[in-house]
Every structure is written in C-alpha cells, then in structure tokens.
C-alpha cells in the first residue's frame, strides 16, 4: 500500500549559527530556528541558540565536529530528507556559516536532487568573529590586501596540498581545523618563504565565555598551541595584521593567554 503524501509539503533551511555567542546570530536565523519543527544541530552550536526553538520542536544532536563525526554525513543527509518528506520544516543548524567548511553544499545538493525546497541563511564565519574579538582588521590598507580562508585538515586527516608559495606571499591567513596539523602548516609556510616573525594568534572557543587567546609568531604558534592544550574549536590567524592586536595586548586591553 502506498503511503499518503503529507498534507503540507516539507522544506529545509540550512542555517548558520555563527561562532557561538547567541547575539551573533542573524535575526533571520533566530526567526527560522523558532519556526522549525525539527532542528538538526552540530556540536559547535551553543545552548543559548538552541533555546530559541519552539516548544515541542525536535532537537537532534548530529554531533559533528572537526574529525569527530558521531553521525556520518550521508546519515545526516538522509535524516534531513526523511523529516522534510514527512511534511516537516527542518532546520540544519551549523556552526559559523553553512558554506564555509560546513558541508552545506553537500546537503544542498541532496535536497535539490530530492526536490525538497531549501533555503540558505548565512552565519558569521569564525574568521570574521575572531577578527572582531581580537580587534584585528582582516584586511588593512597598506598591510594586508587579501584574506585566505583555508583548512589545515583534509578527508585523510592530513595537511591539504595548498599553493604554499601563494599563501606565504602575504595577506591574512585564517586557518580552520588547524590544531593537529599546525606544526606541518607552519613548516610549509616557512619553507615557502614566509617570515618566521610574522605575527600569529590562536583563539579557542571564540565569542564564548570560555574563549582563550594566544599570541606568537609563525615560528612559535604551533608549539604554543600544543603546550596550552584544550579541546575547544580553535582558529589560527597568521599575518601582519595580527600585530595590531598584539600592540593592543601590551596596552590596556585585557587580552589573556590560554592557561
Ligand atoms: C568544520 S569547521 C566549521 C566552520 C564553520 N562553518 C564556520 O564558518 O566558522 C570547524 C572549525 O571552525 C573553527 N571554529 C568554529 N567555531 C569556532 C570557535 N567558536 N572558536 C574558534 N574556532 C572555531 C575551528 O577552526 C574548527 O576546527
């Protein structure tokens, strides 16, 4: 016997939750989270944001965090489809922005192929949030003319094959998923000619009450991150602009170092 089609067609929203601080959510994201029947969320989405869901909404932790996927991407895709086909409004809530190292593109393709209506709501990606937290302009007249968002981690858990010479030439580097491969990344940039004294910073749990910051140089930052430990998501910024935050740190801005 064939199943009756739901009275109301389902749909999906791929929503960026920003870096963690609920106040960094867009108004549109907040509204859509409040309307959803089902919210499938990542590990990096904070409780304050999930609290916006309506009473009775199903909240499902799909547990994704860099290198630690409690649910495989294919299973997540199937789950979104199952709920949407049952006539529900599904929000796939992702840390930062869905289209910056968020695998939002794969979910979008799955939904489009299945004919499920889908919308995308951008979020503040970590690089922008970290720039704001450190008061580091990511581009700055006469100092940095480009911003590179790169991952230091590929599907084989290794350093991806970037154009190191191009990255070493200048501009600001915002490194996602970089903790494990940071020593290798720094070595490749040094070998490609980047100055060892280039300012660098690592920020863990950016915008959350547990945020921690470390300042160093391209030559030192990997060892500093290893020594400081910590398990939270970490972004590494490398480039001359980071020196602007360091100057502030020596003044009256209460920047603190990771324990
Ligand atoms: C799978 S990527 C997701 C990126 C996300 N879509 C975005 O736009 O920011 C996970 C990486 O983002 C960075 N990240 C996410 N949230 C962070 C936070 N609150 N503080 C520092 N880094 C964060 C870390 O580099 C982490 O390894």
């Amino acid at each position: 016997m064939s199943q009756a089609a739901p009275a109301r067609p389902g749909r999906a929203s791929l929503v960026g939750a920003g870096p963690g601080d609920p106040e960094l959510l867009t108004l549109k994201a907040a509204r859509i989270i409040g309307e959803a029947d089902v919210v499938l969320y990542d590990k990096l989405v904070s409780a304050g944001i999930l609290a916006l869901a309506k009473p009775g909404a199903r909240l499902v932790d799909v547990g994704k965090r860099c290198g630690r996927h409690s649910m495989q991407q294919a299973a997540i895709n199937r789950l979104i489809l199952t709920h949407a086909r049952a006539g529900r409004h599904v929000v796939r809530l992702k840390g930062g922005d869905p289209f910056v190292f968020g695998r939002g593109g794969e979910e979008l393709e799955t939904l489009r192929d299945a004919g499920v209506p889908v919308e995308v709501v951008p979020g503040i990606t970590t690089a922008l949030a970290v720039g704001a937290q450190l008061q580091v302009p990511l581009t700055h007249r006469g100092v940095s003319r480009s911003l590179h968002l790169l991952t230091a981690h590929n599907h084989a858990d290794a350093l991806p094959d970037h154009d190191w010479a191009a990255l070493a030439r200048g501009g600001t580097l915002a490194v996602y998923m970089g903790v494990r491969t940071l020593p290798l990344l720094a070595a490749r940039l040094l070998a490609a000619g980047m100055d060892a004294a280039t300012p660098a910073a690592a920020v863990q749990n950016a915008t959350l009450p547990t945020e921690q910051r470390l300042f160093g140089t391209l030559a030192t930052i990997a060892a500093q991150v290893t020594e400081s430990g910590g398990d939270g998501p970490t972004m590494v910024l490398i480039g001359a602009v980071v020196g602007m935050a360091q100057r502030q740190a020596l003044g009256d801005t209460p920047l603190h170092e990771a324990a």
Side-chain angles (χ1 to χ4, degrees), residues 19 44 66 95-97 100-102 125-126 176-177 203 205-206 233-235:
L44 299 182
C66 169
D97 181 87
V100 179
F101 304 121
T125 191
T126 308
Y176 291 75
M177 296 173 272
V203 182
N205 295 327
T234 302
M235 155 130 309

Side-chain angles (χ1 to χ4, degrees), residues 74-167:
I76 296 173
N77 294 350
R78 279 196 301 276
L79 198 57
I80 306 174
L81 276 184
T82 302
H83 285 297
R85 283 178 170 149
R88 301 183 187 112
H89 177 195
V90 189
V91 163
R92 175 69 181 101
L93 189 57
K94 305 166 86 72
D97 181 87
F99 283 175
V100 179
F101 304 121
R103 302 189 73 171
E106 291 160 58
E107 291 164 3
L108 182 73
E109 281 176 342
T110 302
L111 289 158
R112 277 188 186 158
D113 289 349
V116 173
V118 55
E119 71 182 326
V120 182
V121 180
I124 294 181
T125 191
T126 308
L128 306 187
V130 165
Q133 291 299 100
L134 301 184
Q135 298 191 5
V136 165
L138 298 174
T139 65
H140 192 61
R141 200 176 172 84
V143 180
S144 172
R145 292 179 186 280
S146 62
L147 168 64
H148 306 260
L149 307 184
L150 59 137
T151 174
H153 173 104
N154 67 13
H155 56 275
D157 212 5
L159 190 64
D161 195 16
H162 293 298
D163 181 346
W164 299 105
L167 293 175

